[in-house]
Amino acid sequence: MFYADDTQLYLNFDRGNLNYAVSQMELCIQAVRQWMNNNYLKLNDGKTEVVVFRNKKYDEPCLDNVSLKIGDRHVSCTSKVRNLGVCMDHYLSMDKQINQICQSTMFHLRQIGQIRKYLDKPTTEKLVHAVISSRLDYCNSLLYGVPSSQLNRLQKLQNTAARITSRVGRYSSITQVHKELHWLPVESRIDYKILVLVFRAMTYGTPAYLRDLLQQPVKQRPTRSHYLHQLQVPVAKNKIVWRPKLLQRCTSTLEQPPTTSAIIEDN
């Protein structure tokens, strides 16, 4: 018997169609369960989680009482779920994810700081990249648009890692340390991740599900900006949308033969 992990189902619905959405989701889960049984797979009911993502301004108590019938169990709605290692709360504020990153990263920073005097600088850089930078960069594009106060918490962790690596004082200029280590700040690393994803999707057409989301505005007549391959900025009520400045920064590099170095220079 095989077990399938990270099987996810999504359904978009209005607040007035809550009961209909629950019934449709239960039917879909039942169909998935039947398909798994036919292919010698098993749906683990005990590890199944349900969450209703919504806007904090239009929150309603009834959304917390949602439950789905999965097999012989009734799974209640939770305030957060884990998706491929990313902790996502029901408001998509990413506070839980940042708390998780800070907790694990600070633990490893203390451990590295205790053995720093026994390591040379190249070895310390490799250790920091493997343990600290990997945590700061993992799915960091999801942190775009979060408040600066939350990003500053991650930036302090990166600054601490830079000071440990370079063995500089607490009051030394951290900007110069980042330049010597060739490290981008946390916010710039998030922008760079998004720009690289857009660049690869527009240039190579992969992945296809991202390329389909990138639409270029249709103009009645050619203009000077026509050859810049500008992207159409989506209209959304949520403020967490790629700002036009970031999209312009990516599309302006596509006028010439595209390279990732051009994205770094613009960033």
Side-chain angles (χ1 to χ4, degrees):
M1 180 71 69
F2 294 96
Y3 292 86
D5 295 332
D6 297 320
T7 302
Q8 304 157 8
L9 298 177
Y10 305 91
L11 179 62
N12 183 23
F13 64 94
D14 296 329
R15 289 173 293 172
N17 298 330
L18 179 60
N19 295 330
Y20 176 77
V22 171
S23 61
Q24 290 297 312
M25 183 62 70
E26 290 179 347
L27 291 175
C28 185
I29 293 175
Q30 184 178 358
V32 171
R33 175 187 292 275
Q34 183 63 37
W35 179 87
M36 286 186 171
N37 292 335
N38 296 337
N39 291 272
Y40 304 99
L41 299 174
K42 180 178 176 61
L43 182 64
N44 196 333
D45 302 337
K47 293 184 178 181
T48 303
E49 295 178 315
V50 179
V51 63
V52 178
F53 297 111
R54 67 267 198 177
N55 194 321
K56 190 174 183 179
K57 295 182 180 179
Y58 306 102
D59 193 7
E60 294 183 2
C62 63
L63 297 178
D64 295 327
N65 300 326
V66 175
S67 64
L68 295 179
K69 183 179 180 181
I70 303 178
D72 297 331
R73 298 169 58 94
H74 287 273
V75 181
S76 301
C77 183
T78 61
S79 60
K80 63 177 182 179
V81 294
R82 187 179 299 276
N83 186 5
L84 298 177
V86 178
C87 188
M88 308 175 69
D89 60 287
H90 57 302
Y91 293 136
L92 289 179
S93 62
M94 305 307 296
D95 293 343
K96 303 294 184 181
Q97 173 66 8
I98 293 178
N99 293 338
Q100 176 181 290
I101 295 175
C102 292
Q103 182 178 2
S104 61
T105 303
M106 182 56 67
F107 170 79
H108 290 290
L109 280 175
R110 293 194 185 100
Q111 301 297 319
I112 296 175
Q114 293 177 359
I115 63 173
R116 175 64 181 91
K117 58 183 177 181
Y118 303 110
L119 304 174
D120 56 5
K121 186 175 180 179
T123 303
T124 306
E125 287 189 44
K126 294 179 181 179
L127 183 60
V128 168
H129 282 308
V131 180
I132 306 301
S133 298
S134 61
R135 284 176 166 80
L136 295 177
D137 292 339
Y138 180 71
C139 293
N140 60 347
S141 58
L142 297 175
L143 302 180
Y144 183 84
V146 302
S148 300
S149 58
Q150 293 288 52
L151 291 182
N152 290 337
R153 297 175 59 190
L154 301 180
Q155 187 60 57
K156 290 180 180 179
L157 294 175
Q158 189 190 46
N159 294 345
T160 303
R163 296 185 191 280
I164 293 175
T165 303
S166 300
R167 306 194 72 175
V168 298
R170 181 178 181 180
Y171 300 100
S172 302
S173 175
I174 193 62
T175 303
Q176 185 62 30
V177 175
H178 282 301
K179 289 182 179 179
E180 294 176 357
L181 294 174
H182 301 285
W183 289 6
L184 288 173
V186 172
E187 186 175 4
S188 297
R189 297 168 85 94
I190 295 173
D191 292 347
Y192 174 72
K193 176 69 73 61
I194 296 176
L195 293 176
V196 169
L197 290 175
V198 175
F199 159 77
R200 291 178 176 174
M202 293 187 63
T203 306
Y204 305 109
T206 55
Y209 60 88
L210 287 183
R211 182 63 183 90
D212 295 339
L213 296 176
L214 302 176
Q215 303 294 333
Q216 295 183 356
V218 179
K219 298 182 179 180
Q220 300 296 334
R221 57 186 180 83
T223 59
R224 287 181 294 179
S225 61
H226 175 73
Y227 302 98
L228 294 180
H229 304 284
Q230 293 182 349
L231 296 178
Q232 185 175 359
V233 180
V235 178
K237 296 181 180 180
N238 197 323
K239 65 179 180 180
I240 306 179
V241 179
W242 295 355
R243 59 179 180 263
K245 183 179 178 182
L246 184 59
L247 291 176
Q248 287 294 109
R249 193 182 306 172
C250 177
T251 56
S252 62
T253 60
L254 298 179
E255 183 179 8
Q256 302 296 331
T259 59
T260 54
S261 61
I263 298 178
I264 296 178
E265 292 175 359
D266 290 340
N267 201 25

